[in-house]
Amino acid sequence: MRTTEHAHDRDDHSDPTLYRTPADAVAAPPEKLAYVVGFDPTAQRADALFTVGTDPESPEYGRVISHAELPGLGNELHHFGWNACSSALAHAGHHHAARRYLIIPGLRSSRLHIFDTGPDPARPRLVKVVESEELAAKAEYSRPHTLHCGPDGVFLSCLGGADGADGPGGVALLDHESFEVLRAWESDRGPQRFAYDLWWHLRQNIAVTSEWGTPSMYEDGLVPELLLDRQYGHSLHFWELDSGRHLQRIDLGDENQMVLELRPAHDPEATWGFAHAVVNVEDLSASVWLWNREGEDFVVHKVITIPAEPAQTEDLPSALQPFGAVPPLITDIDLSVDDQWLYVSTWGTGDLHQYDVSDPFHPRQTASVRLGGIVSQQPHPAEPDTPLTGGAQMVELSRDGRRVYLTNSLYSTWDAQLYPAGIDPWMVKLDADTSHGGLSVDSRFYPHGPDFLGLRVHQTRLQGGDASSDSYCYRDSFAVHRPSGRW
């Protein structure tokens, strides 16, 4: 891994949104814009990148300022990220990196779309498309899902093998500046076959990956037979970051299906982080797990369990009627930059939960807000007589931890199974109490429906970075002592 111990003393990075420490990120000016991707589930209209105003003093607050359509159809925009983030401060040879370009994969098309936010941040423009053939030829992957700027390039997690084949999924490396596909990252994948998320402990040279499934397991919807047969991913994998060599696999138990989002501590000296399992097939609960390093190996422990909620059969979609309950379905988590607060979205019930994780081994729930949900359809306070479709799903948190943004779509075919009446797009902002805990919905911020041209919205990125976009190279004064990790 190409790093230098003296990078902290360099002042040659002109981009103020590359932060040396988590404290620097928290103290920086708040975001004034949010970028949100939208897709057409019928693949009849172009997907789009939306820009939303987030400055409460602006007349454009809570409004869609602009949108840019993508070429081609059927991309299904999902997760996306920046070409550069705070980890650039540890990159040898990247002293002049800037957080300027958004790289937006099409999860179905396997194309990569590069948008330049430099000339006018409120109106990004498409400057390059990397075709699926290049990803397949140079990295032997398809179905790009999650990306992070890191050592040696942009790391792009992919769910399928070349040309959409059923794996193994893995990680492709992209050039930071040209966005060309360089190669596959793995040098020795060991037992890993499924892919989903990718993150790391930068200073410890450790990467972590999680598991969903291969294209045939998710593209046409959740396959009940595979779920009940416990065939979706249920493990975490630990790697040597610079070499791509597999080090360790930890199985969370095959009853815990679909281990998805990864949120490592932002403290660069820490070796712990959170992952979640979408559903336990034995009782329909969902769970959050903590990994931590003990000696040379990593261990995991379940720290949060959210039970299913009983429901009347007639209120449930057909996929859930045999169970007589609504599974919470944790589909996203987010950890505040100061490592003090964890947010957990349960797309099935529609809840966003807030936990105090000052002691990450013993999270304490401090607040919960319900928006939408399979049965409840809890409305937004701006339109209290209109039930919300979909549920709290993708969650993004501002760097200072005070603003939480939510969107409501998961994946088109899964939307259809669990919300068969349809999903009308919405984006919600909540204000978070970062002193004692608490959440409140901002009634002024509610772009929805026609504001997004009827396209379903998924992930959000915030101008200047957010809680899930950056890894940091240097420790700061608010990094606190954590428990040893012994259970």
Side-chain angles (χ1 to χ4, degrees), residues 444-467:
R444 293 179 55 207
F445 191 102
Y446 184 42
H448 62 288
D451 299 325
F452 293 114
L453 307 178
L455 300 179
R456 293 185 186 174
V457 287
H458 193 73
Q459 191 178 29
T460 301
R461 285 288 176 214
L462 303 182
Q463 183 185 34
D466 44 59

Side-chain angles (χ1 to χ4, degrees), residues 147-170:
L147 63 94
H148 294 294
C149 166
D152 301 321
V154 175
F155 286 60
L156 177 67
S157 178
C158 303
L159 305 186
D163 302 318
D166 255 357

Side-chain angles (χ1 to χ4, degrees), residues 137-473:
K138 295 183 178 179
E140 298 188 352
Y141 289 131
S142 65
R143 308 304 189 265
H145 183 269
T146 295
L147 63 94
H148 294 294
C149 166
D152 301 321
V154 175
F155 286 60
L156 177 67
S157 178
C158 303
L159 305 186
D163 302 318
D166 255 357
V171 179
L173 280 177
L174 311 181
D175 185 88
H176 280 285
E177 297 174 353
S178 70
F179 311 112
E180 293 179 1
V181 180
L182 300 175
R183 58 179 173 85
W185 165 67
E186 300 87 355
S187 62
D188 175 7
R189 70 172 66 250
Q192 180 268 334
R193 183 169 176 264
F194 294 154
Y196 184 83
D197 201 1
L198 160 82
W199 255 119
W200 46 66
H201 297 293
L202 193 62
R203 291 182 65 87
Q204 289 76 28
N205 194 32
I206 293 292
V208 190
T209 64
S210 59
E211 300 185 334
W212 186 10
T214 57
S216 70
M217 299 173 71
Y218 69 82
E219 281 195 336
D220 295 328
L222 175 67
V223 182
E225 294 79 11
L226 293 177
L227 181 67
L228 295 176
D229 202 31
R230 308 181 183 206
Q231 293 300 306
Y232 288 94
H234 44 86
S235 296
L236 293 174
H237 297 268
F238 297 85
W239 310 72
E240 193 172 62
L241 179 57
D242 58 0
S243 71
R245 181 173 64 91
H246 190 278
L247 299 175
Q248 185 182 357
R249 172 181 179 261
I250 300 181
D251 191 340
L252 305 190
D254 63 11
E255 70 275 16
N256 296 299
Q257 290 283 283
M258 294 172 281
V259 180
L260 300 187
E261 306 294 344
L262 303 173
R263 299 292 179 254
H266 297 88
D267 177 357
E269 299 300 326
T271 53
W272 58 268
F274 294 104
H276 71 91
V278 174
V279 63
N280 182 306
V281 295
E282 295 179 349
D283 60 9
L284 297 187
S285 67
S287 53
V288 176
W289 298 70
L290 180 78
W291 77 75
N292 187 53
R293 197 171 197 173
E294 292 188 0
E296 291 300 311
D297 293 329
F298 285 85
V299 296
V300 299
H301 188 72
K302 183 162 61 174
V303 293
I304 296 171
T305 300
I306 301 176
E309 294 186 0
Q312 297 296 319
T313 301
E314 60 271 20
D315 295 333
L316 294 169
S318 58
L320 297 177
Q321 286 181 356
F323 303 101
V326 179
L329 301 177
I330 296 177
T331 52
D332 199 14
I333 60 175
D334 211 354
L335 178 64
S336 64
V337 173
D338 62 5
D339 293 336
Q340 304 298 301
W341 303 96
L342 181 71
Y343 294 85
V344 178
S345 62
T346 55
W347 186 59
T349 54
D351 296 310
L352 177 70
H353 301 284
Q354 180 194 60
Y355 294 86
D356 181 343
V357 291
S358 300
D359 177 356
F361 302 97
H362 301 95
R364 180 175 60 87
Q365 185 169 347
T366 50
S368 182
V369 170
R370 178 161 294 188
L371 292 160
I374 290 172
V375 171
S376 63
Q377 298 186 319
Q378 185 68 30
H380 190 280
E383 296 184 3
D385 297 326
T386 304
L388 282 179
T389 58
Q393 209 283 100
M394 291 302 294
V395 52
E396 195 48 76
L397 182 63
S398 64
R399 286 170 284 100
D400 62 9
R402 296 176 181 175
R403 294 167 300 285
V404 188
Y405 299 90
L406 288 174
T407 54
N408 65 330
S409 171
L410 178 64
Y411 190 62
S412 59
T413 49
W414 295 51
D415 290 352
Q417 286 175 301
L418 295 169
Y419 288 92
I423 286 182
D424 193 44
W426 49 259
M427 181 183 185
V428 171
K429 170 184 164 278
L430 301 96
D431 295 309
D433 182 337
T434 58
S435 297
H436 306 290
L439 289 169
S440 59
V441 180
D442 183 348
S443 60
R444 293 179 55 207
F445 191 102
Y446 184 42
H448 62 288
D451 299 325
F452 293 114
L453 307 178
L455 300 179
R456 293 185 186 174
V457 287
H458 193 73
Q459 191 178 29
T460 301
R461 285 288 176 214
L462 303 182
Q463 183 185 34
D466 44 59
S468 69
S469 63
D470 288 44
S471 53
Y472 303 94
C473 305

Side-chain angles (χ1 to χ4, degrees), residues 27-42:
E31 70 283 353
K32 294 187 177 181
L33 298 171
Y35 302 103
V36 188
V37 289
F39 70 94
D40 176 20
T42 69

Side-chain angles (χ1 to χ4, degrees), residues 109-152:
S109 69
S110 296
R111 291 187 290 262
L112 306 176
H113 310 84
I114 317 301
F115 279 83
D116 186 359
T117 69
D120 183 354
R123 292 166 178 80
R125 59 187 180 91
L126 181 69
V127 294
K128 182 173 183 175
V129 176
V130 178
E131 296 295 341
S132 60
E133 291 81 4
E134 180 177 345
L135 182 61
K138 295 183 178 179
E140 298 188 352
Y141 289 131
S142 65
R143 308 304 189 265
H145 183 269
T146 295
L147 63 94
H148 294 294
C149 166
D152 301 321

